Amino acid sequence: MHHKTIIEPFKIKSVEPIQMSTEAQREKFLEKAHNNPFLLDSDQVIIDFLTDSGTSAMSANQWAGIMRGDESYAGSSSWHAMENAVKSLTGMEFILPTHQGRAAERIIYSYLGGKGKTFISNTHFDTTRANIEFSGAEAIDIVIPEAHDPALIHPFKGNMDLGKLVQLIAEKGAKAIGAVILTVTNNSGGGQPVSMENAREISRICKANGILFLLDCCRVAENAYFIKMREAAYKNKTSREIAVELFSLADGAVMSSKKDALVNMGGFLAVRDKAIAEACSNLLIITEGFTTYGGLSGRDMEALAIGLEEIFDPNYLEYRIKSTTYLGEHLHKLGVPVVLPIGGHAVYIDAKKLYPHIPVTEYPGQALVCELYLKGGIRTVEIGSVMFGKYDDAGQLIPAAMELVRLAIPRRVYTQSHIEYVIETFSEILKDIPKTRGYKITREPKFLRHFTSHFEKL
Ligand code: F0G
């Protein structure tokens, strides 16, 4: 028989209580947090969809690995477990452990970057862009144009625009290109996947021009699953085989293992080139740690090695992607404008379309973020003009291209009934659209203002 209900392919051995609250209590909590859910305490939140990063539930096997962790400063067996797991997946010879993704980014981009260098990506994640720009180099995003239309259906909306890639190489000169970075899945572009065909072409173009090709692979297992589902030639391959093939096209990879390695902390840099590996190892030792731990505890490395295997369990991946899709498609059916098709780790909502009466200068995304918290205790993040907005010389807001809200789903943490609860909350939100109002910023820092800004309801 064909079952309609998505069941979690795991049983729960250890639980973490959720502190329930009433709408009246949440009103007070949000007021104290200056209408910025980043400033809430986690026990004031019922469903935490702020990020899928470092929020995974580890398996019993990973927890057993935590006990086995070897905390030796040099040459620990846990390091060897991690190194072997990363090598066998990436096929790359040199593996550098780091405490999280941005540490690996700082190392590789400070080495490859610098003034006059250009980096090209489908979409640079914000820490990637920050590390590149901090080195003095420039970061250019060239995702396919289809990605800019939230309602347009395309199987691989994370693909890079190959025409633009060729054009940029001709314009800048291959020597000035620090690296081409393919983000799989494309987080800032809606968690949309990249096709193998696109990756293969990028690899070919980079090879022909002697340009380094890197994967930002934090969600590589989710991307591989989408390739299996949507790219005909791969339907009989396993997701792991597909991931291995993706890595085979690249010269190196950066991973925030807090996503698809199912750990709460961890990351790595993997490269094929010995000279790059040596230079980066020097930087690693200066600020992160010795080459056999790089800022990680032995137990974290042990858990990472196990997580990197578990993530490719076909039952897990099917449940993971189906569950995210279920949430997104049910919201779509309710009439909530979502970014289509639904991505891997998150559902993105087009707040500009949901609240056409709230001008972008009054942050419709922040309005939805606050509504979700007040009505359901659901914490999400605005990815729009609060996050990316700038001011012109006259102090007028230069808005972001889109006003999105991200519902990022932690791995193996919430059940189907939590998902149903979120959908119910949206039914209430829709009823209150006409009386929902925008916000103004009353206090903001100079950089990364979404984290700490204060807001006032208009
Ligand atoms: N690259 C991508 C595509 C990411 O999504 C992230 C983190 C990083 C790099 C940086 O990794 O956090 O371990 O230093 N994304 C998180 C998020 C923060 O919420 O999407 P990190």
Side-chain angles (χ1 to χ4, degrees):
M1 117 172 226
H2 177 75
H3 289 276
K4 198 166 110 251
T5 306
I6 304 165
I7 69 161
E8 293 75 20
F10 47 80
K11 294 182 288 182
I12 297 166
K13 194 187 279 290
S14 177
V15 299
E16 204 179 340
I18 291 175
Q19 193 67 48
M20 299 305 285
S21 54
T22 62
E23 228 173 303
Q25 286 171 320
R26 290 194 293 272
E27 244 166 60
K28 290 210 178 82
F29 296 151
L30 193 60
E31 199 186 306
K32 249 189 116 184
H34 305 281
N35 295 303
N36 184 352
F38 269 104
L39 302 177
L40 290 168
D41 287 333
S42 62
D43 63 3
Q44 296 169 333
V45 174
I46 294 175
I47 307 269
D48 208 343
F49 280 175
L50 196 57
T51 180
D52 65 320
S53 180
T55 52
S56 297
M58 289 204 291
S59 64
N61 196 20
Q62 282 178 296
W63 280 108
I66 292 277
M67 276 312 295
R68 276 199 314 273
D70 174 0
E71 304 302 338
S72 305
Y73 191 94
S76 93
S77 61
S78 298
W79 158 243
H80 289 304
M82 172 176 165
E83 187 186 28
N84 288 338
V86 178
K87 265 191 185 173
S88 98
L89 178 64
T90 62
M92 294 180 194
E93 192 175 344
F94 303 102
I95 315 298
L96 283 67
T98 62
H99 78 276
Q100 63 184 86
R102 68 196 72 180
E105 292 176 339
R106 188 192 62 80
I107 288 169
I108 186 83
Y109 301 127
S110 64
Y111 172 67
L112 298 172
K115 221 172 155 31
K117 286 281 164 73
T118 297
F119 289 79
I120 303 168
S121 179
N122 40 356
T123 313
H124 293 86
F125 181 66
D126 43 13
T127 59
T128 319
R129 170 177 291 277
N131 274 293
I132 288 168
E133 291 177 349
F134 189 71
S135 83
E138 65 169 344
I140 301 179
D141 295 337
I142 51 163
V143 71
I144 53 169
E146 288 87 338
H148 299 298
D149 179 353
L152 186 99
I153 307 265
H154 182 290
F156 293 104
K157 242 174 160 177
N159 280 356
M160 194 180 277
D161 186 327
L162 300 172
K164 278 202 184 133
L165 176 62
V166 172
Q167 193 188 324
L168 269 173
I169 295 170
E171 223 171 84
K172 306 273 175 187
K175 282 214 164 59
I177 313 269
V180 171
I181 306 159
L182 191 62
T183 312
V184 295
T185 58
N186 196 26
N187 183 13
S188 309
Q192 300 290 330
V194 175
S195 72
M196 187 71 80
E197 190 192 358
N198 190 251
R200 200 179 296 120
E201 277 305 298
I202 296 164
S203 175
R204 190 185 59 72
I205 293 166
C206 287
K207 273 205 181 74
N209 289 281
I211 295 169
L212 201 72
F213 175 34
L214 303 177
L215 285 184
D216 178 345
C217 65
C218 10
R219 300 178 180 88
V220 66
E222 291 172 2
N223 199 102
Y225 184 80
F226 279 118
I227 290 177
K228 182 176 168 67
M229 291 298 126
R230 296 180 185 172
E231 210 167 338
Y234 291 90
K235 83 169 191 280
N236 295 322
K237 291 232 155 101
T238 66
S239 295
R240 193 174 188 283
E241 285 166 343
I242 294 168
V244 167
E245 186 172 333
L246 262 178
F247 283 111
S248 77
L249 299 170
D251 302 305
V254 173
M255 185 183 205
S256 166
S257 306
K258 298 168 76 170
K259 286 83 170 171
D260 270 356
L262 297 167
V263 286
N264 305 119
M265 195 50 75
F268 64 79
L269 168 65
V271 288
R272 298 185 195 282
D273 183 90
K274 195 170 176 199
I276 298 177
E278 278 175 5
C280 289
S281 293
N282 289 333
L283 295 173
L284 181 76
I285 293 170
I286 294 172
T287 61
E288 297 295 308
F290 186 57
T291 52
T292 65
Y293 72 90
L296 288 171
S297 305
R299 52 181 169 270
D300 292 332
M301 297 192 285
E302 196 77 38
L304 195 159
I306 298 164
L308 218 44
E309 298 295 326
E310 286 182 357
I311 196 80
F312 289 105
D313 171 1
N315 294 321
Y316 163 76
L317 279 176
E318 186 190 4
Y319 138 79
R320 167 72 174 165
I321 302 301
K322 277 198 176 152
S323 172
T324 309
T325 305
Y326 179 94
L327 172 59
E329 288 189 342
H330 276 72
L331 294 183
H332 181 55
K333 268 187 219 145
L334 277 181
V336 178
V338 291
V339 174
L340 294 171
I342 307 303
H345 69 294
V347 174
Y348 293 71
I349 293 156
D350 185 347
K352 208 187 315 198
K353 214 162 159 189
L354 181 69
Y355 296 130
H357 61 291
I358 303 178
V360 292
T361 49
E362 294 174 9
Y363 305 109
Q366 194 65 22
L368 177 57
V369 162
C370 290
E371 277 286 285
L372 275 164
Y373 178 69
L374 290 171
K375 294 213 159 64
I378 302 161
R379 178 154 70 171
T380 55
V381 61
E382 193 262 15
I383 304 190
S385 293
V386 172
M387 193 180 268
F388 299 123
K390 298 207 164 83
Y391 296 108
D392 65 14
D393 292 338
Q396 295 296 314
L397 178 80
I398 308 170
M402 294 194 265
E403 304 296 331
L404 302 180
V405 167
R406 182 179 82 167
L407 279 63
I409 306 170
R411 293 169 183 77
R412 306 192 292 205
V413 170
Y414 294 110
T415 63
Q416 179 66 16
S417 64
H418 291 117
I419 299 286
E420 302 290 356
Y421 170 94
V422 174
I423 296 167
E424 263 173 47
T425 307
F426 268 95
S427 308
E428 282 305 303
I429 284 177
L430 289 175
K431 284 186 203 148
D432 280 354
I433 287 178
K435 52 177 200 209
T436 304
R437 280 166 294 153
Y439 285 79
K440 75 170 183 197
I441 297 180
T442 54
R443 215 182 96 179
E444 62 182 297
K446 216 163 165 199
F447 297 105
L448 296 170
R449 65 178 182 166
H450 55 287
F451 289 124
T452 53
S453 281
H454 293 182
F455 299 87
E456 202 180 285
K457 198 175 194 157
L458 291 163

